[in-house]
Amino acid sequence: MSYEQARDQLTEVVKRLETGGLTLEESLELWERGEKLAAVCEEWLEGARARLANAMARPENGDDGAQAPF
C-alpha cells in the first residue's frame, strides 16, 4: 500500500470515529485499523527520511568537499 493510500484510509477512519454512532466493537475495530494504517505511514516516512539523509550526505557532482587548490 502506498503512503497516500494509507493516509487517505486513515483519514476516513478518523472521520468515522469522530462522527460517532458506532458500537464499541466497531470503534475498536476502526481504532485497530487506524493504528495499522498509522504504522504504514510511519514506515513510509522513515524510509523517506533515510533517503533524504543519504542524498544530503553524498557529495554533489563529484565534489568530495576538498578545497580548490588556488
Side-chain angles (χ1 to χ4, degrees):
M1 170 179 307
S2 72
Y3 169 80
E4 291 79 8
Q5 290 170 324
R7 181 201 59 212
D8 292 345
Q9 288 182 29
L10 180 56
T11 300
E12 288 303 313
V13 166
V14 170
K15 285 179 186 177
R16 287 188 62 201
L17 285 168
E18 288 178 342
T19 300
L22 302 169
T23 66
L24 178 59
E25 185 62 30
E26 291 169 330
S27 295
L28 288 172
E29 287 175 9
L30 278 175
W31 181 269
E32 291 169 346
R33 176 74 177 140
E35 288 290 326
K36 289 176 185 176
L37 290 165
V40 170
C41 289
E42 185 61 29
E43 187 176 325
W44 274 102
L45 291 172
E46 286 298 322
R49 285 184 192 107
R51 287 176 63 188
L52 284 171
N54 286 337
M56 292 175 68
R58 278 186 269 150
E60 293 184 28
N61 300 325
D63 179 15
D64 62 2
Q67 295 288 329
F70 18 149

